[in-house]
Amino acid sequence: MGDFNVALVIVAAVVSVLVLLVSVYLLVNYQHPDDANQAWFPKLVVVLGITVAVLSILMLPADVANRQACKRAVYSGACALTLPMKTLWLVVYIIDAVLVFLVIPFAMFYYEGDQDKSVGKRLKSALIWVVASAVVCGLVLGILYALIGKVDFTVRHLSSSVQAFPNPNQFGAFTSGQPCIAPLTRQCSANTAPPNSQTTWTMRATFPEYVVALATIVGSVLFTIFGGVGIACLPLSLIFSFVRRPKAVITRSQYIKEATELGKKAKELKKAAEALHQEERSGNKGRKWRKNVKAVEKELLLLENDMNALEEMYPQGEKAEATWAFTVLAYIGKLIFGIVGLIVSIAWVAHIIIYLLVDPPLSSFLNEIFIKLDSVWGLLGTAAFAFFCFYLLIAVIAGEMMLGLKLVFITIHPMKWGGTLMNSFLFNVGLILLCSISVIQFCATAFAYYAQATAAQEIFGHTLQSLRGIKYLYKYNVFQYGFVALAILTLFYYALFGWRKRKPTGRFQLSS
């Protein structure tokens, strides 16, 4: 038993180092050239945020393994020698909340500050905004915790009479058909408790648990919207990307014609951006200005996508044939990953319906699959479990990108290989961190049978779902219904419009 615990600690330490290295790798390869050798503080925040987000996802499989460490123990104190998962959960999610609501906003305010101002003024401006936000959040948290920071558990008061046994041999008279002392009732008093024996046991939640709970609610709203849309659009966008792929290389005259049109569009967007920059200098940064900025960001992203598509259809250089071959293979890869993702998405939605929304559940479905995979090889079920959790996080990012393109009021922060600015990095890391709490809570609920008796179950399965004021959101499965409804609506949207190619938007004009 002790050796197993030591091995679990070693594995956790090694995985943490690997996750940190992967975070640095993603930062180096995704960052924009303009941010090279500068913006060190935002980069540090990005690496820390990615590391915390990934580790939080991996902690649920680790929690399951930690539970199994003392599963077959022969002495009662064996579980005290395992990892303190409840403490680790609270530490990770308090760090998560601090990063999302304090550190990342400060880094974004500083990075997006007026470049004409000195470093001191930018720091002062960012600090004022963050301190103001922290004061407001602190007051809200303190007031809510003082007023309704309690947990209401529904319990039933049971009692039964006792009777001395004059004859030790009388124990042999108890059977499954006669479990009680009184031979006439054939039922114990506890089993016949009246309905009014049910009552509510109230206790105050700890402040860290309350912070995690409220952060989970905020993340659950975003997770329901972005995740519900993303669970459908992630695989379908890959499949329809293959359907809309360029079938052959275009001629040079066609390339020149398309490139000329894109050049005109680029000039229009440049003029619009310059006009917005002049408005910013004059201090006219109102609602209309912000709306126009987001519209320009959307058009720039679509223009860049059109440029990339044009380069795909007309590869140039000495290795044009090889470039075209890789393009074809890339679209085949999208089709394969899209089909695999579609299977995973269908499995997720089906599992939510038959295990969470149907009472009683029709089947434990994925829970049974993970348990059977564990019986084949100890870490196979755990790896599959972690994969399904990671898939939800990726779906959240896909949903945010799709809604950002369709709805102008959502700021677009695309992640591009070798072309991601730090503000986009920080935004997406903050979104991942905020939704990771909800993903864990969602997975702890969806896989309650597989992850039973874990510290995550205690925090997210009991305390959170019994917290006063928000327990009804979980009692009536509001987030699960919203998730499935948005997934079905997105499926119909792609079935009707997903196969169509995007038409040119025409001349771009700012809102007046």
Side-chain angles (χ1 to χ4, degrees):
M1 181 62 61
D3 293 339
F4 183 86
N5 296 333
V6 172
L8 188 60
V9 172
I10 294 174
V11 170
V14 171
V15 170
S16 299
V17 173
L18 291 177
V19 169
L20 179 61
L21 294 176
V22 170
S23 302
V24 175
Y25 175 80
L26 291 175
L27 173 67
V28 171
N29 288 277
Y30 269 91
Q31 70 174 348
H32 196 280
D34 292 344
D35 288 327
N37 300 319
Q38 61 179 350
W40 294 108
F41 177 68
K43 290 178 181 178
L44 178 62
V45 174
V46 165
V47 171
L48 179 61
I50 295 175
T51 303
V52 171
V54 175
L55 288 179
S56 65
I57 298 296
L58 294 177
M59 277 181 64
L60 191 52
D63 202 349
V64 175
N66 196 61
R67 176 204 62 192
Q68 294 174 349
C70 61
K71 185 177 182 181
R72 296 181 177 87
V74 295
Y75 58 98
S76 60
C79 290
L81 301 177
T82 56
L83 294 174
M85 290 305 303
K86 185 175 181 179
T87 302
L88 291 176
W89 276 118
L90 294 177
V91 169
V92 167
Y93 283 119
I94 290 298
I95 294 175
D96 192 314
V98 170
L99 285 173
V100 169
F101 296 107
L102 296 178
V103 179
I104 290 179
F106 175 80
M108 290 188 69
F109 284 133
Y110 175 76
Y111 181 84
E112 295 179 347
D114 192 347
Q115 300 296 324
D116 296 335
K117 295 181 179 179
S118 63
V119 174
K121 290 184 178 180
R122 291 168 62 189
L123 285 173
K124 180 180 178 181
S125 176
L127 190 60
I128 290 174
W129 278 104
V130 171
V131 169
S133 302
V135 170
V136 173
C137 289
L139 288 174
V140 172
L141 284 174
I143 294 172
L144 290 177
Y145 181 71
L147 295 177
I148 56 174
K150 298 179 180 179
V151 183
D152 296 324
F153 294 107
T154 301
V155 296
R156 185 182 293 276
H157 178 74
L158 302 177
S159 62
S160 179
S161 59
V162 296
Q163 182 175 330
F165 285 94
N167 185 359
N169 295 328
Q170 196 171 358
F171 283 106
F174 295 106
T175 63
S176 59
Q178 178 57 50
C180 303
I181 296 173
L184 297 177
T185 61
R186 300 186 64 82
Q187 286 188 356
C188 301
S189 299
N191 291 338
T192 58
N196 60 7
S197 64
Q198 182 172 314
T199 184
T200 300
W201 177 37
T202 300
M203 61 178 294
R204 182 166 290 278
T206 64
F207 187 72
E209 288 179 342
Y210 194 73
V211 172
V212 171
L214 291 188
T216 303
I217 293 299
V218 176
S220 294
V221 175
L222 297 176
F223 167 74
T224 301
I225 298 173
F226 295 144
V229 173
I231 200 75
C233 78
L234 176 59
L236 292 177
S237 62
L238 293 174
I239 294 174
F240 282 110
S241 177
F242 174 81
V243 173
R244 299 191 301 265
R245 73 191 187 281
K247 305 298 190 300
V249 178
I250 62 176
T251 62
R252 181 176 177 81
S253 60
Q254 290 176 314
Y255 173 78
I256 293 175
K257 179 181 177 181
E258 295 293 334
T260 302
E261 293 296 325
L262 292 179
K264 293 179 181 178
K265 188 65 175 291
K267 290 181 179 179
E268 293 176 5
L269 290 177
K270 183 179 179 181
K271 291 181 181 179
E274 290 175 349
L276 291 174
H277 188 61
Q278 290 179 356
E279 289 185 23
E280 181 184 15
R281 287 178 174 274
S282 62
N284 298 326
K285 296 172 63 174
R287 182 178 180 182
K288 183 185 72 174
W289 181 87
R290 289 191 295 269
K291 180 180 178 181
N292 286 329
V293 168
K294 293 176 181 179
V296 169
E297 289 177 350
K298 176 181 176 179
E299 291 296 327
L300 283 173
L301 182 59
L302 294 175
L303 177 63
E304 187 172 351
N305 292 337
D306 290 340
M307 291 175 59
N308 293 334
L310 184 60
E311 291 177 357
E312 285 182 349
M313 291 185 291
Y314 190 76
Q316 304 179 54
E318 297 179 356
K319 300 180 180 179
E321 294 182 358
T323 302
W324 175 251
F326 279 115
T327 300
V328 173
L329 291 176
Y331 278 105
I332 294 175
K334 288 183 179 181
L335 177 63
I336 295 173
F337 285 116
I339 294 174
V340 173
L342 184 61
I343 295 173
V344 176
S345 295
I346 292 174
W348 252 119
V349 175
H351 179 77
I352 293 171
I353 294 174
I354 66 178
Y355 184 71
L356 295 179
L357 300 185
V358 178
D359 188 22
L362 298 178
S363 169
S364 58
F365 191 31
L366 291 177
N367 290 282
E368 294 180 359
I369 294 177
F370 296 151
I371 293 173
K372 290 180 180 178
L373 289 176
D374 275 335
S375 64
V376 175
W377 181 53
L379 293 178
L380 193 57
T382 304
F385 176 50
F387 170 76
F388 270 79
C389 294
F390 268 118
Y391 187 82
L392 277 186
L393 266 182
I394 299 173
V396 169
I397 298 299
E400 184 266 331
M401 286 298 299
M402 177 188 176
L403 292 177
L405 287 174
K406 302 300 179 183
L407 305 175
V408 179
F409 59 81
I410 297 178
T411 303
I412 306 170
H413 289 278
M415 295 285 292
K416 300 177 183 178
W417 188 269
T420 306
L421 294 171
M422 279 301 108
N423 59 341
S424 296
F425 239 133
L426 290 166
F427 177 86
N428 285 287
V429 169
L431 179 65
I432 292 173
L433 282 169
L434 190 57
C435 292
S436 65
I437 305 178
S438 303
V439 168
I440 293 299
Q441 188 274 331
F442 196 85
C443 290
T445 304
F447 304 128
Y449 183 58
Y450 179 71
Q452 58 183 327
T454 58
Q457 276 283 314
E458 181 180 351
I459 297 175
F460 300 109
H462 305 304
T463 304
L464 177 61
Q465 296 183 16
S466 300
L467 200 63
R468 184 176 297 180
I470 63 176
K471 62 181 180 181
Y472 299 103
L473 296 174
Y474 297 97
K475 180 180 180 180
Y476 298 108
N477 298 320
V478 173
F479 298 123
Q480 288 89 337
Y481 277 111
F483 185 93
V484 173
L486 287 172
I488 294 174
L489 289 175
T490 306
L491 175 64
F492 281 117
Y493 171 82
Y494 267 89
L496 295 175
F497 308 107
W499 53 273
R500 299 179 182 179
K501 291 186 177 180
R502 186 179 64 85
K503 296 181 180 180
T505 55
R507 184 178 178 83
F508 175 76
Q509 293 182 344
L510 297 176
S511 299
S512 57

